[in-house]
Every structure is written in structure tokens, then in C-alpha cells.
């Protein structure tokens, strides 16, 4: 179900973070501005996803499912008005993921 789809992606993301994420470097370079810092964090997750997805098809699928479930849970798939957009970090993350 939905929870299982999300959990597989979470586990893969955690493994990618252990392998490719450097918390010390991330923290040292993270902008102090709240929203900009959140965008920086979101782009780091996209970077980690790209690292795993480029090497492993199963990981790519699990991460894609994770994001789909996450966006559904946030209700982003049901937004219809320009006045009701996802937060900027989520929008930047979506654009980066498409690229």
C-alpha cells in the first residue's frame, strides 16, 4: 500500500545519505535564511536521489514512489489555484527532480 511504497523509498534515501551525505559540509554551507536553508536541504535530497538513481533502477523506482506518496499526503496533487501552491522548497525540489 501507500505506506509500504513510502517506506521503501525512505530506507533507500537513508542508505544514500549514509553513503553520500556529509553533514559537516552540508551544515557549513547551508544558508542561514530559513526558507533558503530549506531549499538548500531539498536540493541536497534531490542530489542524493540522483546519486542512487543513476546507478540502481530499483532505487530510482522506490524514490519516485516515495515522492509521489509524499506529495499525495501533502495534497499537492489536488491543488488547482495559483493562490494555493506548494511551499517554495517543494516547488524547487520538483523542478530539480524533473531536470
Amino acid at each position: 500500500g501507500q505506506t509500504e511504497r513510502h517506506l521503501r523509498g525512505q530506507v533507500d534515501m537513508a542508505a544514500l545519505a549514509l553513503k553520500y551525505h556529509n553533514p559537516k559540509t552540508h551544515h557549513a554551507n547551508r544558508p542561514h535564511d530559513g526558507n533558503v536553508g530549506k531549499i538548500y536541504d531539498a536540493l541536497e535530497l534531490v542530489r542524493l536521489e540522483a546519486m542512487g538513481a543513476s546507478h540502481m533502477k530499483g532505487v530510482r523506482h522506490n524514490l519516485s514512489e516515495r515522492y509521489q506518496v509524499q506529495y499525495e499526503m501533502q495534497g499537492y496533487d489536488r491543488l488547482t489555484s495559483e493562490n494555493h501552491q506548494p511551499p517554495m522548497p517543494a516547488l524547487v525540489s520538483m523542478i530539480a527532480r524533473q531536470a
Side-chain angles (χ1 to χ4, degrees):
Q2 190 180 43
T3 302
E4 184 179 324
R5 289 170 45 216
H6 191 262
L7 185 59
R8 280 191 215 134
Q10 286 289 92
V11 170
D12 285 347
M13 184 59 82
L16 292 169
L18 283 173
K19 184 169 183 169
Y20 297 115
H21 180 72
N22 184 320
K24 188 174 183 178
T25 301
H26 183 81
H27 180 72
N29 293 302
R30 187 179 190 272
H32 295 289
D33 178 276
N35 208 34
V36 177
K38 289 176 184 177
I39 290 170
Y40 185 82
D41 295 342
L43 290 174
E44 171 64 356
L45 291 178
V46 173
R47 185 187 75 82
L48 294 174
E49 177 185 324
M51 298 289 288
S54 67
H55 302 296
M56 299 164 268
K57 185 178 180 180
V59 169
R60 177 176 38 230
H61 174 75
N62 290 345
L63 293 175
S64 177
E65 290 289 305
R66 173 187 176 265
Y67 282 106
Q68 182 63 38
V69 169
Q70 183 177 349
Y71 293 148
E72 289 170 5
M73 289 177 4
Q74 295 293 328
Y76 298 158
D77 60 327
R78 296 182 301 278
L79 297 178
T80 58
S81 170
E82 288 189 24
N83 295 331
H84 297 92
Q85 294 182 352
M88 187 58 69
L91 287 173
V92 171
S93 178
M94 289 177 208
I95 292 167
R97 189 167 295 105
Q98 286 298 316

